[in-house]
Amino acid sequence: MSDFLKRKFGLTDSGIRAVRRAALASFFVNAGYMALMLIAMYYGDNVLKGLVKPAWYYLLIIAVTLAVLYFIIDREYILTFNTTYKEARALRLEIADRLKELPLSYFSRHDLSDLAQTIMQDVTDIEHAMSHSIPRCIAYVFFLIVMAILLLISNPLLGIATLIPMVLGLALMFLSRKAQRRWTGKYFWKMRETTETFQEAIEMQREIKSCGFEKENYEAAAASLDAAERLRVRAELTQSMPILLSTAIMKLSIGCVVVVSAALLRADAVRLIYVIGFLLASMRLVDAVGAAEENFAEIFYLDARVKRINELRNTPVQTGRDVELGNFDIELKDVRFAYNEENRVIDGAGFLAKQGQVTAIVGPSGCGKSTILRLISRLYDYDDGSISIDGRDIREISTDALFDKVSFVFQDVILFNASVLDNIRMGRPDATDEEIRQAARMANCEDFILKLPEGYDTAIGENGSKLSGGERQRISIARALLKNAPILLLDEISASLDVENERKIQEALNRLIAGKTVIIVSHRLKSIEKADQIVVMNEGKVEATGSHTELLNRSPLYRRLIERSNLTEQFTY
């Protein structure tokens, strides 16, 4: 039962327990409403038999029943609504924890707006269904089974007359569930696509306006919205028509009971009080099952959302053990990797980066230099071959243990909408303010930080939007300097720096790299000429390794790269 609820509704373990309790409470609520009808039947039976008791007797029974019913309804409210909010919180936290464990490759293959919608809107939809539909549907199923048994025992013919229209109505509802799920699923994914269209339009406003694409962008967004609206109408019709037809069929239950009751009364085969009881029961069941159908429709609507959450749950995560590393030599052997099946980026690369040395990776654009850094830091897991640190395959090392030993500065800088101090502190959360300022000075950041309105306490906007590209890069470098990890990975750190700042960064790095394993990727070949080892890559393979002088003598590709670099530096507008 627990696995079924988790698979069908995407709930956490605590949510499943809450649904069970809420369903039980909802069952007793339905039983309580039926109890009031039984009291009415009991009174009517006494009247017909001439055995009417004092009024206070019936009033006392009604008062006790209402008191119990009030308590049950109150418990149902607490168990459905109050615990629902806790489940929404728990589900969002579970998804967030899962996202932390996923490899970076997952995020490169999925839209970020889709993930944001999963955490916010999809969980909100499940939250609503959990408070209004899921427990009540479970309760209605068991309540209908119990009532069916009681009705058939009381009078088989009237029981069959009551139940056949309801069974036919429910059958129609469930026979249409595949169509409902198909069209609500299409609408779900179309809305995802529309959200991504709008997010892209917002993020690309500068390019859209500068290239004069406002009209085309507007038309594309409008077309996406129109298509989504058409799908919404189709999905709602696909859900509403079966509900209307099913409800109409189930209302025939009352007519069937009247027809069968008339025949039985004419044959003196049933007492009038039973006829009244079955009429009351059929009316109550029509209302209950009709409400259940609307709840079932909402559950069908959840199908695509639950599948999305379960897909996150079932995505393989990176595994490994926490280990202590004594040596930080990094060795790559015949490493192969592809971002997708059609495009192999690394194809049999291998080299050794020794501790205490600087290893530079150079090569034409797109040859896999930055990808190598991502594989070493285990932001992606390679497909074949091996990457080892201290003789241990990094896939056997937990990401927490590995990240603790690695500082990296990548070409695409990511900063948070927080203060300068907090952004640098991410390198080492327990660092003091003075240590952070020292790292900023080493990265040549303090000259622009002190010019900010509140200095180190200035919030720098989403992804550092209040800073220039070079300033954001230097904040990222300061973060790596603060961490002071034994492995330092640098990807185009000078891409956004002027010559003077690049010189100062080089000086800071020279002080930092003592005893560390440093791997650097750079297009400015002048800056890596003194590296202990230079790895020349081409089309995902290592073409040659050696010092600058050695490679000039035996690597034609390296010579061409040097010549092009010199021509670039000599170019003037």
Side-chain angles (χ1 to χ4, degrees):
M1 184 66 171
S2 296
D3 291 339
F4 173 80
L5 291 174
K6 193 167 190 176
R7 186 177 66 256
K8 295 299 291 183
F9 305 125
L11 303 176
T12 64
D13 292 335
S14 61
I16 291 169
R17 291 191 294 270
V19 164
R20 284 175 174 171
R21 293 192 295 266
L24 184 62
S26 185
F27 174 86
F28 283 115
V29 167
N30 284 295
Y33 289 138
M34 191 59 72
L36 292 174
M37 295 183 181
L38 291 175
I39 293 172
M41 286 182 59
Y42 175 65
Y43 174 75
D45 188 48
N46 286 348
V47 170
L48 292 173
K49 291 179 179 179
L51 301 173
V52 179
K53 294 181 172 57
W56 65 264
Y57 176 78
Y58 300 105
L59 291 174
L60 178 62
I61 293 175
I62 292 171
V64 171
T65 303
L66 288 175
V68 172
L69 186 58
Y70 173 82
F71 173 77
I72 296 172
I73 292 173
D74 181 65
R75 289 299 301 166
E76 183 199 29
Y77 182 90
I78 293 172
L79 290 170
T80 53
F81 288 91
N82 292 9
T83 56
T84 289
Y85 305 131
K86 295 179 181 177
E87 169 62 8
R89 174 180 176 275
L91 186 53
R92 286 192 175 100
L93 288 175
E94 180 190 306
I95 293 172
D97 288 338
R98 188 68 177 181
L99 290 176
K100 289 193 300 183
E101 297 174 354
L102 294 176
L104 190 64
S105 57
Y106 181 87
F107 299 95
S108 67
R109 294 165 184 164
H110 293 78
D111 294 330
L112 296 183
S113 60
D114 172 43
L115 294 174
Q117 286 280 85
T118 298
I119 295 174
M120 300 308 297
Q121 187 59 48
D122 292 355
V123 174
T124 297
D125 292 338
I126 290 175
E127 175 186 345
H128 187 275
M130 186 178 172
S131 61
H132 292 79
S133 301
I134 297 174
R136 291 175 183 175
C137 282
I138 296 172
Y140 285 140
V141 169
F142 286 101
F143 179 71
L144 184 60
I145 292 171
V146 171
M147 286 302 302
I149 293 171
L150 292 176
L151 291 174
L152 291 171
I153 291 174
S154 299
N155 190 300
L157 287 177
L158 286 175
I160 292 171
T162 304
L163 294 174
I164 285 179
M166 293 188 181
V167 171
L168 291 175
L170 284 172
L172 174 63
M173 183 69 180
F174 278 92
L175 287 173
S176 68
R177 71 184 186 278
K178 185 176 291 186
Q180 293 186 47
R181 286 171 172 167
R182 182 172 69 251
W183 285 103
T184 55
K186 287 182 177 180
Y187 173 61
F188 170 84
W189 288 113
K190 186 61 183 178
M191 285 304 298
R192 283 292 202 269
E193 180 185 319
T194 302
T195 301
E196 178 63 21
T197 298
F198 274 87
Q199 178 169 323
E200 184 181 70
I202 293 170
E203 292 176 348
M204 302 292 288
Q205 274 300 299
R206 182 179 62 185
E207 288 75 11
I208 291 170
K209 290 183 177 180
S210 64
C211 297
F213 285 149
E214 291 98 330
K215 182 180 179 181
E216 291 83 352
N217 180 68
Y218 173 82
E219 290 174 350
S224 183
L225 278 175
D226 289 341
E229 183 63 17
R230 288 193 295 271
L231 280 174
R232 183 185 69 83
V233 172
R234 180 64 183 269
E236 290 186 358
L237 285 174
T238 306
Q239 287 199 291
S240 61
M241 292 306 296
I243 292 176
L244 291 173
L245 290 173
S246 178
T247 302
I249 291 172
M250 287 191 297
K251 287 185 181 297
L252 295 175
S253 175
I254 300 172
C256 290
V257 171
V258 171
V259 171
V260 174
S261 296
L264 291 175
L265 284 172
R266 189 181 301 113
D268 199 24
V270 66
R271 293 173 57 199
L272 180 60
I273 191 65
Y274 274 97
V275 173
I276 296 172
F278 270 89
L279 284 172
L280 292 173
S282 62
M283 287 188 288
R284 174 58 195 153
L285 286 175
V286 166
D287 290 340
V289 177
E293 284 193 326
E294 295 180 6
N295 294 332
F296 278 120
E298 181 173 13
I299 289 174
F300 297 155
Y301 176 77
L302 285 181
D303 189 62
R305 292 148 182 81
V306 173
K307 285 180 179 177
R308 188 72 189 86
I309 290 173
N310 285 336
E311 179 193 323
L312 271 174
R313 283 183 172 141
N314 297 328
T315 300
V317 298
Q318 293 173 309
T319 59
R321 296 179 292 107
D322 292 337
V323 298
E324 288 295 330
L325 299 172
N327 179 274
F328 297 97
D329 288 352
I330 302 174
E331 186 172 13
L332 288 76
K333 292 182 178 179
D334 196 27
V335 174
R336 302 175 191 276
F337 173 76
Y339 289 107
N340 54 62
E341 295 180 358
E342 301 174 358
N343 182 22
R344 185 174 291 281
V345 182
I346 306 298
D347 190 13
F351 63 87
L352 174 64
K354 293 186 177 181
Q355 184 176 355
Q357 293 186 357
V358 175
T359 298
I361 304 177
V362 301
S365 295
C367 70
K369 303 183 296 295
S370 297
T371 300
I372 287 288
L373 297 189
R374 291 186 172 95
L375 295 178
I376 292 172
S377 58
R378 218 185 163 195
L379 295 177
Y380 291 80
D381 276 336
Y382 50 89
D383 300 325
D384 294 302
S386 70
I387 300 177
S388 60
I389 301 175
D390 193 18
R392 298 175 182 268
D393 192 309
I394 62 171
R395 289 186 294 191
E396 298 175 1
I397 304 173
S398 69
T399 52
D400 287 342
L402 183 61
F403 291 164
D404 188 54
K405 304 299 182 185
V406 177
S407 291
F408 38 78
V409 180
F410 288 133
Q411 191 170 357
D412 300 322
V413 179
I414 301 298
L415 299 178
F416 290 86
N417 186 13
S419 68
V420 174
L421 205 68
D422 289 336
N423 268 282
I424 299 176
R425 196 191 303 275
M426 289 187 63
R428 183 156 53 88
D430 60 349
T432 65
D433 290 354
E434 181 52 39
E435 288 173 326
I436 293 172
R437 291 186 173 89
Q438 179 62 27
R441 285 191 287 270
M442 291 178 66
N444 199 31
C445 294
E446 200 163 61
D447 58 339
F448 71 82
I449 292 175
L450 296 179
K451 294 177 183 177
L452 297 173
E454 298 178 44
Y456 281 89
D457 295 321
T458 303
I460 58 177
E462 184 177 354
N463 199 24
S465 59
K466 296 180 181 179
L467 303 178
S468 69
E471 290 168 347
R472 285 163 45 211
Q473 186 70 277
R474 281 180 277 167
I475 291 290
S476 182
I477 293 168
R479 187 188 289 168
L481 291 169
L482 178 67
K483 188 173 183 179
N484 198 27
I487 297 173
L488 186 61
L489 307 178
L490 306 170
D491 184 10
E492 296 292 350
I493 64 168
S494 60
S496 300
L497 302 175
D498 56 37
V499 175
E500 179 61 21
N501 281 326
E502 182 180 358
R503 183 184 63 80
K504 292 181 178 180
I505 291 297
Q506 289 289 353
E507 292 174 356
L509 289 175
N510 289 336
R511 292 191 297 269
L512 176 68
I513 62 178
K516 293 180 172 56
T517 305
V518 181
I519 302 178
I520 183 169
V521 169
S522 179
H523 279 103
R524 292 190 180 180
L525 301 188
K526 193 72 175 177
S527 64
I528 53 90
E529 287 181 357
K530 295 182 179 180
D532 299 287
Q533 176 183 227
I534 299 173
V535 177
V536 182
M537 292 191 65
N538 190 28
E539 297 181 350
K541 299 180 175 66
V542 173
E543 184 191 76
T545 61
S547 66
H548 171 69
T549 304
E550 291 169 344
L551 292 174
L552 284 175
N553 293 328
R554 55 186 174 88
S555 173
L557 175 59
Y558 185 72
R559 285 197 300 272
R560 289 198 302 272
L561 292 172
I562 290 291
E563 290 168 1
R564 291 173 185 173
S565 178
N566 292 335
L567 289 173
T568 301
E569 292 183 4
Q570 294 169 9
F571 177 79
T572 57
Y573 290 98

